[in-house]
Amino acid sequence: MKRAFFRKGQGKGWGRRHHHGARVGALTLDQVAPGTDIAIQRICGQGPVRQRLLDFGFQPGRVVTMLRNAPMGDPIEIQVGDTFIALRRREAAHVEVRPADEQADDTTAAPSTDSAETPK
Amino acid sequence: MTDATAATDIPAPKATYAIALAGQQNCGKSTLFNLLTGLRQHIANYPGVTVDKKAGVYAYNGKHYAVTDLPGAYSLATFSPEELVTRNALVHDRPDVVVNVIDATNLRRSLPLTFQILELGFKVVVALNMMDAAKKRGLEIDIEALSRRLGARVVPVVGRSGKGGEELRAAIAEAAAEPPATPATLNYGPLEEAVADIHARLAADARTNDITARWRAVKLIEDDDETHDALSGLLGGEATAIVEAAAGARSGFEEKHGLSAGDHISATRDRHAASILEECLTDTKAGHVPVSERVDRLVLNRFLAPVFLIGTVWAIYQLSIVQGYELTKVTWPILAGFRNIAADILPDAGFLVDPQVRALGLWIVDSVNTLLNYVPIFLILFALIAILEDTGYMARIAFILDRILHRFGLHGASTLPYILGGVFAGGCAVPGVMATKGIPDSRARMATILTVPFMNCMAKIPLYTLLINIYFAEAKGLMLFYLSTITVVVALLVARLLTGTVLRGEQTAPFVMELPAYHLPTVSGVARRAFDRTWLYIKKVGTVVVAIAVVIFVLLQFPGVSKESAAGYRAQAEAATAEFYAALEGNPYLAAVEDPAALISLVNVQATYKARRLNASSKEAAKKLDDGVRENYPEFVPFVLRDRDPNAKAAFNALRKLGNTRSTLRREMRSERIETSFLGMIGRSLEPVTQYANFDWKINIALLASFAARESSVATLGVLFDQEEGENATLEERMGEQQAEEGRGPLSAMVLMLFFALYPPCLATVIMVRVQTQSTGWMTFSIIFPTLLGLVVASAVYTSAAALGLSGLQTMTAVYLAAVALLLLVALPKPWLPDIFSRSPQEDAS
């Protein structure tokens, strides 16, 4: 479990942010294995990270692909449509996801997610 | 935003339209800007390079168009300085036409910004860039349908090849001539009623009833601080009611739908983009893996990535530094030629003392030459860096290295400044500090600016080489390895220290970065940037170097040797002259130099001949030189050129003796002048402080002089460690002997090199630090901190190593291992430490 060890070191300070961040137990983008398709569930947190993620197309309902870890495990690369985004794990921890084939979680379903489209 | 208006300063008839280029990063905006205006400017594939606003002008059908290139912005939120600049330029400057450049391969991501610009009520021309890449990617775009859905002109272009430029100019001209546009309305669904209501309230007041009213209404519901402020500025206390209405609508929506209004607005735009694309876009290669991704599977592979990265950096080093040095061997004679021309133009040298104009003139030419000598290296280096940026690999380097750099409070994008600064050996901190502009995170950027000068710039190398040749000849490779890598270690440690202390309060930014698709760079693009950056270096540094050269010259020349000793030198010179005339008694050639003025001229001719003969690269060149003397100074020939005739031989030998005496006297005088100069006094007065590091006043002077330009450290040492007689011993031998007499050995040399590695940036770099940080305080810090660090480290190392009786090499090894150990200690996670200590500085991100 070498990576988990590293992640602890990296993510420690994020702790404070986690409180108003992802819900406990929720699957977040930093926990996804490379090569997996996932659907965006919710973006937590405030400010620049959130805005930038939304700008890059991390919209609830959108299906994205976790492509790879950087050689040293952090940052990670995500494919959103034709855009390739690198982000640090601590930023990825802001993004709640669900497996791409699973239905939207109703408690957070926005009026928007009803039209959640499959990726082009 | 004075830059935007600067463009209109260019003389133009009244019919000048203001055009703004807006678009996201990596959309090729800068290329289009060049296409439109033909103005030189920076283009790169690296996110965030275009931070400055750039302006230019072009004429089309008799009308003038002033174009502003706005920084790349993903949206009109105000979280990054680029976005803020772009937004202010649009909202406050109100250009006549906005050209929205979008990447045709990435429409879904690009369109939300287009909607926001349309919402602002501008006349918009959409430049659909990178159509060639889109075609290759198998994307078929229905331009007409897209234009209809957007309600704006859409022009397909290929910025790199210039295709579509004419159509774009025509579309801009048409749009500019049109009456104002009606702001587009995007239906915000459940929020639409509230948007319309706030919009109506804003439109009801003359002060806020303009084209931006609807956009402002949306921003108010999003709870955007900037818009609140702007509204208060316009309406004063009356703004409160509107702000409260917006807040009410927002909280009502959020309660009902469990979703923030901002997210809903953003999602609405994204969905709208998707619905437009459903109609206008056919993906004929859906499901295919893009070429870039296939390349990345290799290039970013866990095991291959370090191989590619090291290979790339090695190639940069080989091509620019190693091959560049080869090239300087070709260019140096040209620079030496300039010096000769200057030497000929300036007033002639005296027998002992030269006119100040000559001394100063040559001093300046020498300083400038040292600088220009690096130009070939910089050209190659900058071209390679431009290729890295344009291909998109630079962003990958940031991706690969961010993990390490982030540990030390730096950013993946700090790699480029470090490479430019000279990660191995041989770079320059000036372009390095310049390149920090691209780092989005303010704290990491400051830390990079302050640590780039630790890298081994090309000017540090001569001192290393000198000292290593004297003291560590048998362990040359190892010492050079230590020195070139310890600076990186120190830079990382200092970055960590600074970000945890003085830089703690600086803002940080999230690391969310696009990895742009790979592009083949264009020759013109790369060449333009290589020349631009080199020129900037020459301009910025050149002026400073000349100014500083003058200051150092004055500090070294004055107050000059005392009257008594000057008289002493003069007496010796007279004695030597008398001896010369005595030796020539009865010699037929004496007639040519009987006049003392002729003698000085002869001595100068001989000195010049000697210097040039040494530099003559071939037999032909030497012969040409001889012929020159025969032609210009026929009467001096027997003195200057060797001949078998006994009389000529006597003349030749007498002059040689006189010439040698003269150069010895001049050297002694120079040495005394420096010793008693202002700089010499400073060097001596620093001895009480520097004695712990075992630096004597001579070394102090060299270090002080090197602050002006590092190269001069060796030149100054060369003067200070002058030999008494003849010119056979190299500086290495002279310095080694003299230092040994004073009890200094390898250990002192090693400490000196260590200090030099940590020594503050040279003045040119300091000026660049001032430019990049916009702060005199940080500039001062960038001088004082490394000086203190260097002195403390050097003193501690010398004192303890001397106490332990370690040799120079042993000490260096110990210092190196200690630094690496400290590095690992800082870098590795420390689960055993209480939380408060292990918290890295990044975690205070606000």
Side-chain angles (χ1 to χ4, degrees):
Chain A
M1 287 314 290
K2 199 178 172 198
R3 186 167 312 142
F5 176 68
F6 266 124
R7 210 180 300 154
K8 194 180 167 213
Q10 178 71 12
K12 201 176 244 172
W14 229 186
R16 276 182 299 150
R17 192 140 306 196
H18 263 300
H19 299 311
H20 61 84
R23 288 161 301 175
V24 179
L27 182 66
T28 52
L29 191 54
D30 58 321
Q31 300 163 359
V32 177
T36 321
D37 282 356
I38 54 263
I40 307 291
Q41 176 90 3
R42 195 167 92 99
I43 297 180
C44 315
Q46 295 285 319
V49 191
R50 171 198 198 81
Q51 183 62 45
R52 192 49 30 95
L53 289 171
L54 289 174
D55 290 343
F56 276 132
F58 286 77
Q59 298 283 351
R62 188 112 188 241
V63 174
V64 302
T65 311
M66 158 67 182
L67 281 180
R68 61 174 62 83
N69 295 315
M72 275 167 288
D74 194 19
I76 59 176
E77 187 185 348
I78 309 287
Q79 181 176 4
V80 186
D82 272 342
T83 312
F84 296 84
I85 305 296
L87 70 166
R88 288 193 189 129
R89 288 187 176 277
R90 35 178 293 203
E91 268 89 46
H94 282 237
V95 184
E96 276 183 30
V97 294
R98 60 172 192 270
D101 41 21
E102 213 172 84
Q103 276 304 302
D105 171 356
D106 278 326
T107 55
T108 52
S112 55
T113 39
D114 54 1
S115 66
E117 74 283 18
T118 44
K120 285 193 164 286
Chain B
M1 299 300 115
T2 47
D3 292 9
T5 49
T8 49
D9 293 342
I10 296 159
K14 271 180 190 158
T16 297
Y17 293 111
I19 311 294
L21 281 186
Q24 299 180 335
Q25 282 165 16
N26 300 311
C27 66
K29 205 159 45 65
S30 302
T31 325
L32 274 192
F33 178 68
N34 287 337
L35 182 66
L36 281 176
T37 64
L39 194 83
R40 303 170 125 238
Q41 77 124 51
H42 194 92
I43 335 156
N45 215 344
Y46 195 72
V49 160
T50 322
V51 184
D52 302 325
K53 260 199 328 184
K54 279 145 196 162
V57 163
Y58 72 91
Y60 181 82
N61 274 356
K63 297 245 165 37
H64 288 261
Y65 298 86
V67 188
T68 311
D69 186 15
L70 300 176
Y74 286 107
S75 75
L76 295 183
T78 49
F79 286 118
S80 76
E82 291 86 358
E83 287 168 353
L84 192 61
V85 168
T86 298
R87 175 161 150 181
N88 285 339
L90 291 175
V91 175
H92 299 312
D93 300 346
R94 305 268 168 95
D96 295 309
V97 178
V98 176
V99 178
N100 174 216
V101 185
I102 61 181
D103 175 358
T105 63
N106 234 325
L107 286 175
R108 171 87 179 256
R109 199 196 72 211
S110 307
L111 287 177
L113 177 67
T114 312
F115 301 150
Q116 292 173 64
I117 296 172
L118 286 166
E119 213 167 36
L120 267 168
F122 287 109
K123 292 184 271 186
V124 177
V125 174
V126 174
L128 201 53
N129 197 11
M130 307 198 189
M131 283 302 284
D132 53 341
K135 222 161 260 163
K136 243 183 247 162
R137 163 73 182 73
L139 299 176
E140 284 168 13
I141 302 167
D142 183 343
I143 307 283
E144 228 165 86
L146 183 61
S147 171
R148 198 179 55 244
R149 290 291 305 263
L150 291 176
R153 289 179 176 78
V154 178
V155 185
V157 285
V158 182
R160 284 150 48 83
S161 66
K163 228 170 105 184
E166 206 42 42
E167 289 84 348
L168 183 60
R169 282 203 186 88
I172 293 172
E174 279 173 38
E178 271 178 3
T182 335
T185 47
L186 179 62
N187 193 314
Y188 288 102
L191 268 178
E192 182 53 36
E193 211 177 301
V195 172
D197 172 49
I198 308 283
H199 181 191
R201 281 164 180 256
L202 289 172
D205 193 310
R207 287 168 294 179
T208 49
N209 182 25
D210 60 22
I211 53 169
T212 63
R214 182 171 164 95
W215 176 80
R216 272 211 174 117
V218 176
K219 279 281 156 199
L220 283 173
I221 292 176
E222 271 183 46
D223 198 14
D224 177 80
D225 290 340
E226 290 278 325
T227 313
H228 287 175
D229 297 346
L231 200 65
S232 306
L234 285 169
L235 298 179
E238 296 164 55
T240 326
I242 297 178
V243 170
E244 270 168 15
R250 179 171 57 248
S251 55
F253 172 85
E254 287 177 359
E255 220 157 88
K256 191 169 166 204
H257 297 281
L259 178 78
S260 92
D263 282 14
H264 171 69
I265 289 167
S266 169
T268 309
R269 290 182 185 136
D270 182 59
R271 270 200 313 280
H272 189 52
S275 99
I276 288 181
L277 292 187
E278 209 138 293
E279 187 185 330
C280 311
L281 185 79
T282 325
D283 188 348
T284 58
K285 283 190 190 166
H288 279 234
V289 180
V291 181
S292 281
E293 168 55 17
R294 261 180 277 164
V295 175
D296 274 342
R297 282 181 188 169
L298 272 178
V299 170
L300 296 182
N301 174 283
R302 187 162 213 159
F303 303 102
L304 291 178
V307 178
F308 281 111
L309 182 63
I310 293 171
T312 307
V313 178
W314 182 82
I316 294 178
Y317 175 72
Q318 274 295 319
L319 286 172
S320 60
I321 309 297
V322 178
Q323 299 305 314
Y325 258 121
E326 289 301 308
L327 209 56
T328 57
K329 286 182 190 158
V330 180
T331 52
W332 179 248
I334 304 173
L335 296 175
F338 280 130
R339 191 191 191 277
N340 287 341
I341 294 172
D344 287 343
I345 294 173
L346 290 164
D348 281 337
F351 190 83
L352 273 187
V353 187
D354 294 345
Q356 289 291 3
V357 182
R358 181 184 178 84
L360 178 62
L362 288 181
W363 175 270
I364 290 176
V365 170
D366 283 340
S367 312
V368 171
N369 270 359
T370 335
L371 177 85
L372 293 180
N373 190 31
Y374 294 126
V375 163
I377 298 176
F378 278 130
L379 272 178
I380 301 175
L381 187 65
F382 289 152
L384 293 173
I385 302 286
I387 290 173
L388 282 194
E389 286 175 338
D390 284 358
T391 51
Y393 188 59
M394 194 59 89
R396 269 81 181 175
I397 295 183
F399 177 68
I400 295 169
L401 290 179
D402 182 68
R403 178 76 168 85
I404 301 179
L405 294 170
H406 185 55
R407 276 259 166 237
F408 298 96
L410 298 167
H411 190 274
S414 305
T415 318
L416 172 63
Y418 272 25
I419 294 178
L420 286 171
V423 165
F424 294 119
C428 178
V430 176
V433 172
M434 243 152 64
T436 56
K437 224 167 56 173
I439 303 173
D441 179 311
S442 162
R443 173 156 53 189
R445 184 164 167 271
M446 287 298 303
T448 313
I449 291 176
L450 295 174
T451 50
V452 160
F454 284 117
M455 298 295 115
N456 282 311
C457 76
M458 276 182 280
K460 283 186 186 179
I461 312 298
L463 184 82
Y464 292 160
T465 326
L466 175 77
L467 292 175
I468 288 177
N469 280 335
I470 301 176
Y471 297 105
F472 301 99
E474 63 303 334
K476 227 183 231 178
L478 186 63
M479 263 325 256
L480 261 181
F481 169 78
Y482 279 157
L483 283 168
S484 52
T485 48
I486 199 169
T487 46
V488 181
V489 174
V490 170
L492 290 177
L493 286 173
V494 170
R496 178 66 185 81
L497 177 73
L498 295 182
T499 47
T501 53
V502 285
L503 293 175
R504 232 187 147 82
E506 293 282 325
Q507 280 211 324
T508 60
F511 184 95
V512 182
M513 186 180 79
E514 187 184 356
L515 297 182
Y518 286 105
H519 289 294
L520 261 186
T522 59
V523 176
S524 66
V526 169
R528 170 183 281 171
R529 279 237 303 297
F531 281 111
D532 280 357
R533 280 183 177 169
T534 310
W535 177 237
L536 194 69
Y537 164 79
I538 294 173
K539 221 169 45 181
K540 285 239 157 105
V541 180
T543 44
V544 175
V545 162
V546 170
I548 296 308
V550 174
V551 172
I552 296 286
F553 177 82
V554 170
L555 288 179
L556 278 174
Q557 288 284 320
F558 294 96
V561 292
S562 67
K563 270 193 185 138
E564 302 82 60
S565 76
Y569 286 117
R570 219 174 301 126
Q572 287 187 56
E574 275 159 17
T577 321
E579 200 184 325
F580 171 78
Y581 280 122
L584 285 186
E585 200 69 53
N587 195 317
Y589 295 117
L590 177 63
V593 291
E594 251 172 334
D595 174 20
L599 179 63
I600 290 180
S601 153
L602 169 65
V603 172
N604 282 332
V605 167
Q606 188 236 14
T608 315
Y609 172 80
K610 242 169 100 182
R612 292 190 189 176
R613 184 67 202 257
L614 270 177
N615 285 336
S617 47
S618 64
K619 263 195 178 150
E620 293 84 66
K623 191 170 176 306
K624 215 175 137 201
L625 208 55
D626 289 3
D627 291 343
V629 176
R630 285 198 183 93
E631 196 179 307
N632 297 326
Y633 310 98
E635 70 280 14
F636 292 162
V637 169
F639 293 95
V640 178
L641 304 179
R642 258 177 219 281
D643 205 315
R644 289 222 187 86
D645 169 54
N647 277 333
K649 217 179 206 170
F652 181 85
N653 286 337
L655 180 64
R656 192 171 60 178
K657 188 144 182 262
L658 181 66
N660 285 346
T661 314
R662 178 196 185 214
S663 45
T664 308
L665 285 175
R666 285 171 71 99
R667 211 179 299 117
E668 281 170 5
M669 263 180 93
R670 195 168 48 197
S671 169
E672 192 181 327
R673 194 163 52 229
I674 292 178
E675 260 187 81
T676 55
S677 71
F678 293 122
L679 208 60
M681 291 180 217
I682 301 172
R684 280 189 194 283
S685 67
L686 285 177
E687 267 189 352
V689 182
T690 57
Q691 60 172 326
Y692 299 104
N694 203 19
F695 299 160
D696 64 357
W697 64 274
K698 288 184 176 184
I699 292 172
N700 286 348
I701 292 181
L703 290 175
L704 286 171
S706 82
F707 183 57
R710 290 244 173 74
E711 296 85 350
S712 53
S713 59
V714 169
T716 319
L717 285 172
V719 174
L720 292 169
F721 288 97
D722 253 337
Q723 52 203 339
E724 304 301 318
E725 196 69 43
E727 289 188 24
N728 312 320
T730 61
L731 177 58
E732 275 93 340
E733 291 164 357
R734 279 179 270 146
M735 193 169 158
E737 275 170 29
Q738 288 191 35
Q739 288 282 29
E741 280 167 24
E742 292 166 30
R744 288 195 178 76
L747 180 59
S748 311
M750 178 254 135
V751 171
L752 177 59
M753 286 192 280
L754 192 61
F755 179 77
F756 208 58
L758 304 178
Y759 190 57
C762 69
L763 246 143
T765 310
V766 164
I767 301 289
M768 196 49 80
V769 169
R770 169 78 183 75
V771 170
Q772 289 298 328
T773 59
Q774 303 279 320
S775 141
T776 314
W778 282 120
M779 181 184 82
T780 317
F781 181 85
S782 79
I783 302 171
I784 292 174
F785 177 75
T787 313
L788 288 180
L789 179 74
L791 262 183
V792 168
V793 169
S795 305
V797 168
Y798 181 78
T799 314
S800 42
L804 292 171
L806 293 177
S807 79
L809 196 60
Q810 284 169 337
T811 315
M812 189 67 214
T813 309
V815 169
Y816 188 79
L817 292 180
V820 171
L822 189 59
L823 186 81
L824 290 177
L825 189 71
V826 171
L828 292 178
K830 292 168 278 295
W832 64 86
L833 279 182
D835 196 41
I836 189 163
F837 291 120
S838 64
R839 199 175 281 159
S840 74
Q842 294 74 31
E843 287 148 17
D844 307 294
S846 50

